[in-house]
Amino acid sequence: MRLIESVPNFSEGKRSEVIEEIVNEARKIDGVWILDYSSDPNHNRSVVTLTGIPEAIEEALFNMTKKARDLIDLKNHSGEHPRMGATDVIPLVPVMNTTKDECIELSKRLGRRIGDELSIPVYLYEDSATSPERVSLSNIRKGEFENFPSKIIQEAWKPDFGPSSVHPSAGVVAVGCREYLIAFNVNLGTDNIEIANKIAKAVRHISGGFRYVKALGFRLEDRRIVQVSMNMTNYRKTPLFRVYEVIKFEAERYGVPIVGSEIVGLTPLQALVDVAEHYLKLEKFDSSSILEKRVLDFISREGE
Amino acid sequence: MRLIESVPNFSEGKRSEVIEEIVNEARKIDGVWILDYSSDPNHNRSVVTLTGIPEAIEEALFNMTKKARDLIDLKNHSGEHPRMGATDVIPLVPVMNTTKDECIELSKRLGRRIGDELSIPVYLYEDSATSPERVSLSNIRKGEFENFPSKIIQEAWKPDFGPSSVHPSAGVVAVGCREYLIAFNVNLGTDNIEIANKIAKAVRHISGGFRYVKALGFRLEDRRIVQVSMNMTNYRKTPLFRVYEVIKFEAERYGVPIVGSEIVGLTPLQALVDVAEHYLKLEKFDSSSILEKRVLDFISREGE
């Protein structure tokens, strides 16, 4: 079975009936599974986690974007989270038997349809970006909905698809392929936030650490310990075990032990297989040797 | 989705058309997936690996046993592997959302049907055994097909189901629930077989080691190294990482490193999750946080 994951963000976090109508568009499509969705009223934003076969995911995302365009008016929207569109961003992630290239193709097909058929300007971002300044989502979103009319007329910010003017109520949308993001937190046996901050600095990309790690130190007040909280933006190239081991030996320097860790949300099977493979020094292990994976492959082949 | 695995052994390893006819009985049943099958002509024996929903597995195994009864005549069978029946043994393993108790129930239902409808005497073994001397398969099989007529008339060897005399061509069969068996081999950076033997002795149950480990030392001639070759008969109670770490520190005593390991055949997802969980000190990790597992649960729910 070929699977793409998508985590579209919608600029509505209060009116649950609107969220339901948008999510329903995905429910209607065979071959799409809604893994999770949640709304934040303060952010006035909802995040939906979908997975499915590529063609079905494309259909579901197009229909959800159309529904969001019809039901959300950014002129009346306020919330803590920055936003530029009714459907604000559509990340696409190749998760099973799909490649980055296929995923980029999908982002372009979907972007073209949203631009042409829904009259919403589309920016390709991350791995789909058509120029270096469009790689970062926050760079595209800078100025937000309110300031986009003056941004979009600049040559550098001509949309990749769709009209050259902001949709009056639905704004603009970013669509792009990226790697799976794993939220991985490591807990330290100390209440000294300085140590968590120093270790976060040691492992994160921006200050000289691993390329695909974003990290911050946090206090867990109730447990009186501190945490190195991370976004692992490419677990294939910067694997969990390697970062874990570096945190361990950095912490040892302060006489502090690792007391636990957590993965928040979903993780691809391969990220955990990589951990087991490393510590057991497994030779030539293939995830198709995992019973459940084998069954999934069988079942999904029947469905094709 | 509820899944049972079964690895029935048939006393035919040469006539491929016979094997195909037996395997076809499983292919006909919806909700059963044939993960693997292989034949050994020297052993004159075939092993089929099936998984599926319990009711479907029961149906498939009954039909395969019936077909084997009709096509295999033990009076004309010879091979290196000990055997007592056309279908020699039917192990049942609870692998997903099924319990040992359900599995034992299934072995009894299936055993009763084989006994009553196919007139083959049935012995329940391992977790399904009705007396201590029936726990071990090799104990039941002692004497093999040729000597079973005199064994079966002893009070201690009265079958659990079916007639009190051996089926003239199909013999007798053992049916039972057991834990998932993982074949796990650890390679040592030495060609000294004595070290592998000593470490095998240290970890295996019979000589004072872990309860659910069977182990032997082996030479890997082509690589000029030695191996501790293990059957892990209950990875939940004796996990892979614990045995691996003991092998590591025993090997250190001889100045020998672990250079690799392998899992032969299939492994349940949980056995690897346990490894990752241990080494990363993951707190409250649940395998339903694994994307592929979540998808499998979704897909299989649709099918119900």
Side-chain angles (χ1 to χ4, degrees):
Chain A
M1 173 174 263
R2 297 163 58 235
L3 284 184
I4 294 273
E5 200 199 47
S6 184
V7 193
N9 286 220
F10 301 96
S11 295
E12 174 58 65
K14 294 172 182 170
R15 295 178 298 160
S16 62
E17 68 283 6
V18 170
I19 307 305
E20 285 302 319
E21 281 204 57
I22 293 170
V23 173
N24 270 337
E25 293 298 325
R27 288 200 180 98
K28 287 179 197 164
I29 309 287
D30 273 351
V32 168
W33 299 278
I34 299 155
L35 300 179
D36 190 37
Y37 63 106
S38 61
S39 302
D40 185 321
N42 294 323
H43 286 184
N44 202 2
R45 188 178 182 88
S46 296
V47 178
V48 185
T49 307
L50 306 169
T51 190
I53 59 175
E55 299 73 20
I57 281 286
E58 181 183 339
E59 202 58 26
L61 290 168
F62 178 81
N63 294 349
M64 292 169 94
T65 304
K66 185 175 182 190
K67 186 58 80 178
R69 179 196 68 170
D70 296 343
L71 299 181
I72 298 172
D73 185 349
L74 277 202
K75 293 193 297 298
N76 306 319
H77 179 277
S78 69
E80 282 173 25
H81 200 288
R83 77 287 178 271
M84 59 186 182
T87 302
D88 197 57
V89 55
I90 304 177
L92 295 160
V93 185
V95 287
M96 208 170 105
N97 303 327
T98 44
T99 64
K100 189 165 111 172
D101 285 346
E102 289 172 313
C103 189
I104 292 172
E105 280 311 303
L106 174 56
S107 69
K108 291 182 179 173
R109 278 202 311 276
L110 177 62
R112 183 176 297 282
R113 286 189 65 192
I114 291 173
D116 291 353
E117 300 176 38
L118 303 181
S119 300
I120 302 171
V122 173
Y123 293 91
L124 296 170
Y125 83 112
E126 282 274 351
D127 294 338
S128 303
T130 52
S131 73
E133 56 271 31
R134 295 184 185 196
V135 172
S136 151
L137 174 65
S138 59
N139 213 29
I140 297 174
R141 195 158 51 196
K142 207 175 286 168
E144 298 190 43
F145 174 72
E146 286 71 11
N147 298 304
F148 234 98
S150 59
K151 182 173 185 173
I152 201 169
I153 55 176
Q154 298 168 35
E155 185 55 30
W157 291 104
K158 188 175 178 302
D160 289 299
F161 300 110
S164 301
S165 59
V166 176
H167 188 284
S169 61
V172 305
V173 59
V175 180
C177 175
R178 63 162 169 79
E179 255 301 335
Y180 201 98
L181 188 153
I182 299 175
F184 181 47
N185 301 329
V186 176
N187 300 333
L188 306 177
T190 175
D191 60 358
N192 186 343
I193 186 70
E194 283 308 308
I195 294 174
N197 286 335
K198 277 183 184 157
I199 294 175
K201 208 170 153 186
V203 295
R204 72 185 170 213
H205 182 235
I206 200 169
S207 47
F210 290 104
R211 175 153 183 188
Y212 297 105
V213 176
K214 297 176 180 175
L216 283 174
F218 272 105
R219 287 182 203 279
L220 302 187
E221 301 285 359
D222 51 333
R223 293 174 64 181
R224 300 192 177 191
I225 58 172
V226 297
Q227 179 178 80
V228 181
S229 177
M230 294 175 287
N231 276 340
M232 308 285 299
T233 58
N234 188 332
Y235 70 89
R236 293 167 210 257
K237 295 189 177 167
T238 304
L240 271 63
F241 62 82
R242 193 167 298 144
V243 177
Y244 180 90
E245 288 294 328
V246 170
I247 292 174
K248 189 163 84 180
F249 82 66
E250 290 290 329
E252 270 165 14
R253 180 195 174 312
Y254 304 102
V256 168
I258 289 178
V259 295
S261 75
E262 56 175 348
I263 291 172
V264 183
L266 294 177
T267 173
L269 175 58
Q270 192 60 46
L272 292 178
V273 168
D274 289 346
V275 173
E277 205 173 343
H278 173 80
Y279 286 107
L280 296 183
K281 296 188 181 172
L282 283 171
E283 297 175 359
K284 292 177 249 155
F285 186 79
D286 181 336
S287 69
S288 67
S289 305
I290 297 170
L291 181 79
E292 288 86 344
K293 178 73 163 55
R294 187 75 69 94
V295 172
L296 178 59
D297 290 343
F298 268 94
I299 294 180
S300 54
R301 224 173 290 158
E302 287 175 359
E304 278 168 12
Chain B
M1 172 175 266
R2 297 163 58 235
L3 285 184
I4 294 274
E5 199 198 49
S6 183
V7 194
N9 286 220
F10 301 96
S11 296
E12 174 59 64
K14 296 173 182 171
R15 296 178 297 161
S16 63
E17 69 283 6
V18 170
I19 308 303
E20 286 303 318
E21 280 205 57
I22 294 170
V23 173
N24 271 337
E25 292 298 325
R27 289 200 179 97
K28 287 180 197 165
I29 310 287
D30 273 352
V32 168
W33 299 279
I34 299 156
L35 301 180
D36 189 35
Y37 63 106
S38 61
S39 302
D40 185 321
N42 294 323
H43 286 184
N44 201 1
R45 191 178 181 87
S46 296
V47 177
V48 184
T49 306
L50 306 169
T51 192
I53 59 174
E55 299 71 21
I57 281 286
E58 181 182 338
E59 202 57 26
L61 289 169
F62 179 81
N63 294 350
M64 293 170 94
T65 304
K66 185 176 181 189
K67 186 59 79 179
R69 180 196 67 171
D70 296 343
L71 299 181
I72 297 172
D73 185 348
L74 278 202
K75 294 194 297 297
N76 305 320
H77 179 277
S78 68
E80 281 173 26
H81 200 289
R83 77 288 177 271
M84 58 186 183
T87 303
D88 198 55
V89 56
I90 304 177
L92 295 160
V93 185
V95 286
M96 208 170 105
N97 303 327
T98 44
T99 64
K100 189 164 112 172
D101 285 347
E102 289 172 312
C103 189
I104 293 172
E105 280 311 304
L106 173 56
S107 69
K108 290 181 179 173
R109 278 201 311 276
L110 177 62
R112 183 177 296 284
R113 285 188 65 193
I114 292 173
D116 290 354
E117 300 175 39
L118 304 181
S119 300
I120 302 172
V122 174
Y123 292 91
L124 296 170
Y125 83 112
E126 283 276 349
D127 294 338
S128 303
T130 52
S131 73
E133 57 270 32
R134 295 184 184 193
V135 172
S136 151
L137 175 64
S138 58
N139 212 28
I140 296 174
R141 194 159 51 197
K142 207 175 287 167
E144 299 190 44
F145 175 72
E146 286 73 10
N147 297 303
F148 233 98
S150 59
K151 183 174 185 173
I152 200 170
I153 54 176
Q154 298 168 34
E155 185 55 31
W157 291 105
K158 189 176 178 300
D160 289 298
F161 300 109
S164 301
S165 58
V166 176
H167 187 283
S169 61
V172 305
V173 59
V175 180
C177 174
R178 63 163 169 79
E179 255 301 335
Y180 200 97
L181 188 154
I182 299 175
F184 181 46
N185 300 330
V186 176
N187 300 334
L188 305 177
T190 175
D191 60 358
N192 185 343
I193 186 69
E194 282 308 306
I195 294 173
N197 286 335
K198 278 182 185 158
I199 295 176
K201 208 170 154 185
V203 295
R204 74 185 169 213
H205 182 235
I206 201 169
S207 46
F210 290 104
R211 175 153 184 187
Y212 297 105
V213 176
K214 296 175 180 177
L216 283 174
F218 272 105
R219 287 182 203 278
L220 301 187
E221 300 286 359
D222 51 333
R223 294 175 64 182
R224 297 189 181 196
I225 57 173
V226 297
Q227 180 178 78
V228 181
S229 177
M230 293 176 286
N231 276 338
M232 308 285 299
T233 58
N234 188 332
Y235 69 89
R236 294 167 210 256
K237 295 190 177 165
T238 304
L240 271 62
F241 62 82
R242 194 167 298 142
V243 177
Y244 179 90
E245 289 294 327
V246 170
I247 291 174
K248 189 163 83 179
F249 82 67
E250 290 289 328
E252 268 165 16
R253 182 197 173 311
Y254 303 103
V256 168
I258 289 178
V259 295
S261 76
E262 56 174 349
I263 291 173
V264 183
L266 295 176
T267 173
L269 174 59
Q270 192 60 48
L272 292 178
V273 168
D274 289 347
V275 173
E277 205 174 344
H278 173 81
Y279 286 107
L280 297 183
K281 296 187 182 174
L282 283 171
E283 296 175 359
K284 293 177 247 151
F285 185 80
D286 182 336
S287 68
S288 67
S289 305
I290 297 171
L291 181 78
E292 289 87 343
K293 178 71 162 58
R294 187 75 68 95
V295 172
L296 179 59
D297 289 344
F298 268 94
I299 294 180
S300 57
R301 225 174 289 157
E302 287 175 358
E304 278 168 11

